[in-house]
Amino acid sequence: AQGLAQRLATRGPQLLNAALAYSKPRLATFWYYAKVELAPPTPAEIPRAVDSMKAMVKAFQTGRLAQLTVKEALRNGLVATEVLMWFYIGEIIGKRGLIGYNV
């Protein structure tokens, strides 16, 4: 155990520098996309979202959804799953626990 502590003390700064060099560009890329993707919608984007929802309802009513390719259906399913998971994560954060609300 003492040998491990000694090796860690001597190689610790080297490992830390390597970890920082590895993670800096990846974190920069993550923050770049996080700023774009996780930003709330602007007032100009809201009418486009409403129009797209209307188009989806119309496509469902006319049966056009049955003509989707497998790739499009899979992509739509993944987007719906992502939205649902964000909802569940928000619920967990809101109630500050996994089960039930504090009453």
Side-chain angles (χ1 to χ4, degrees):
Q2 189 177 18
L4 177 64
Q6 185 179 5
R7 278 187 294 169
L8 188 60
T10 58
R11 294 194 63 204
Q14 181 184 7
L15 292 173
L16 182 63
N17 288 337
L20 285 174
Y22 178 80
S23 63
K24 253 186 186 175
R26 285 159 183 79
L27 284 173
T29 303
F30 169 78
W31 284 117
Y32 171 78
Y33 286 112
K35 287 179 191 174
V36 173
E37 295 294 330
L38 298 177
T42 63
E45 293 174 336
I46 293 174
R48 287 190 299 183
V50 170
D51 290 341
S52 100
M53 289 299 292
K54 287 180 184 177
M56 190 183 331
V57 168
K58 187 175 181 182
F60 185 73
Q61 290 172 341
T62 60
R64 198 180 97 226
L65 289 178
Q67 299 171 354
L68 286 177
T69 64
V70 173
K71 185 177 182 177
E72 291 171 335
L74 181 63
R75 183 178 53 223
N76 292 344
L78 288 174
V79 169
T81 303
E82 180 184 9
V83 169
L84 191 63
M85 290 298 119
W86 278 113
F87 171 76
Y88 286 141
I89 290 169
E91 282 288 312
I92 291 168
I93 292 170
K95 54 186 177 179
R96 297 182 183 194
L98 290 174
I99 303 170
Y101 289 93
N102 283 339
V103 179

